Amino acid sequence: MKNWQGKRYWIVGASEGLGREVALMLSRVGAEVIVSARSEDRLKELTAALPGKSSYITVDVTDRAAVEKAAAKAGDLDGVVYLAGVYWPMKAQDWDNEKADMMGEVNFLGASRVVGSVIKDMVAKNAGHIVLIGSLSGFRGLPGAIGYCSSKAGMMALAESMQADLRKTPIDVQLINPGFIKTRLTEKNDFNMPFIMSAEDAAKEVFEHMNTDGFKKSFPMMFSWVFRLSQFMPDWMYYRLFGAK
């Protein structure tokens, strides 16, 4: 178990769902939490509910200047957790450029902007903790997931490249890939979602991994093996099993 007392963590995408639960969990163990999202009302409500020292900074992660300004306002940080995400089910036949762009902007480029705004200070002081929340859907393309799968795959590659560069330094990089979580995003799905978890249970998995020295965690474990093993399937087999019927 890490010592969280007095550590300062910036939680981006904290206004609801998994981000809110992770913020609550870190606050309960003594960390000072700075929460960010676009909705000021939700952030005010969250900081009022947090048991420890906290503050909020509204930010739109699609705006690089706004992200850099928010990072400067957050000040000296021990860690950052990026959970901001948007999702719309989308088939290639029903391509919507506006929604596809937004998934790329928030899910991948937003993470890049946040990391890029804090990493120089962490390198300068030779300490830091960066946690990126990916998705099991990032392991390989899925039907009806234009925009989302690719944006999460980009997030995962970003974390892997960071780990390659930073693994022998005191800056810890962690990538966490959840399966289905009960949120307003998964409410858009009209298909069966195996092993779906509550945001609270998923936050426990995230926090458990944040207490380790490991780089990557994918959960639920049994469900994650389906996605991880799919990377080794030949194309003809994969698309016969997972392609549109």
Side-chain angles (χ1 to χ4, degrees):
M1 178 71 74
K2 290 183 179 178
N3 178 17
W4 299 98
Q5 196 68 38
K7 298 295 175 64
R8 302 186 77 249
Y9 270 71
W10 186 23
I11 315 298
V12 182
S15 60
E16 59 184 310
L18 180 59
R20 177 184 176 88
E21 294 299 329
V22 170
L24 284 164
M25 202 153 284
L26 286 174
S27 184
R28 288 177 188 134
V29 295
E32 178 185 347
V33 177
I34 303 102
V35 292
S36 282
R38 288 179 298 176
S39 172
E40 184 173 11
D41 289 343
R42 287 177 179 170
L43 292 174
K44 283 182 178 179
E45 179 188 348
L46 174 56
T47 52
L50 292 170
K53 187 176 181 181
S54 65
S55 58
Y56 72 86
I57 304 169
T58 57
V59 67
D60 179 353
V61 298
T62 67
D63 183 335
R64 179 168 56 84
V67 171
E68 291 173 351
K69 184 178 178 180
K73 187 175 181 180
D76 185 43
L77 297 168
D78 294 293
V80 60
V81 186
Y82 190 86
L83 304 108
V86 293
Y87 163 71
W88 292 274
M90 191 189 304
K91 295 181 180 179
Q93 298 93 321
D94 304 317
W95 200 295
D96 182 320
N97 262 344
E98 183 178 359
K99 290 178 179 177
D101 281 3
M102 188 57 68
M103 284 186 271
E105 285 280 355
V106 175
N107 301 349
F108 169 58
L109 290 176
S112 176
R113 293 177 186 116
V114 167
V115 172
S117 299
V118 302
I119 190 69
K120 288 182 181 178
D121 285 345
M122 290 183 177
V123 170
K125 68 180 183 180
N126 209 29
H129 185 192
I130 298 169
V131 182
L132 301 182
I133 306 299
S135 170
L136 295 184
S137 67
F139 279 102
R140 200 160 180 180
L142 294 166
I146 291 296
Y148 192 74
C149 280
S150 55
S151 63
K152 287 297 186 178
M155 156 91 75
M156 292 162 70
L158 173 66
E160 289 166 355
S161 295
M162 290 168 56
Q163 174 69 356
D165 287 334
L166 298 169
R167 65 190 186 89
K168 292 187 177 181
T169 76
I171 301 171
D172 296 324
V173 178
Q174 292 187 309
L175 170 64
I176 303 174
N177 303 314
F180 295 113
I181 302 172
K182 290 180 183 177
T183 66
R184 62 180 176 82
L185 299 184
T186 52
E187 287 176 0
K188 299 176 183 180
N189 291 333
D190 60 2
F191 54 83
N192 180 51
M193 292 176 277
F195 302 98
I196 189 166
M197 305 176 71
S198 69
E200 185 176 2
D201 286 342
K204 291 175 183 176
E205 295 276 357
V206 170
F207 182 64
E208 179 182 274
H209 189 61
M210 288 175 66
N211 275 287
T212 74
D213 295 324
F215 166 57
K216 186 187 297 184
K217 178 175 184 174
S218 301
F219 68 90
M221 183 180 292
M222 294 301 294
F223 192 41
S224 73
W225 277 108
V226 175
F227 294 86
R228 294 159 74 182
L229 291 173
S230 74
Q231 293 181 301
F232 300 98
M233 290 182 184
D235 287 344
W236 67 266
M237 180 185 295
Y238 176 78
Y239 290 112
R240 184 172 295 177
L241 292 172
F242 294 94
K245 308 302 181 188

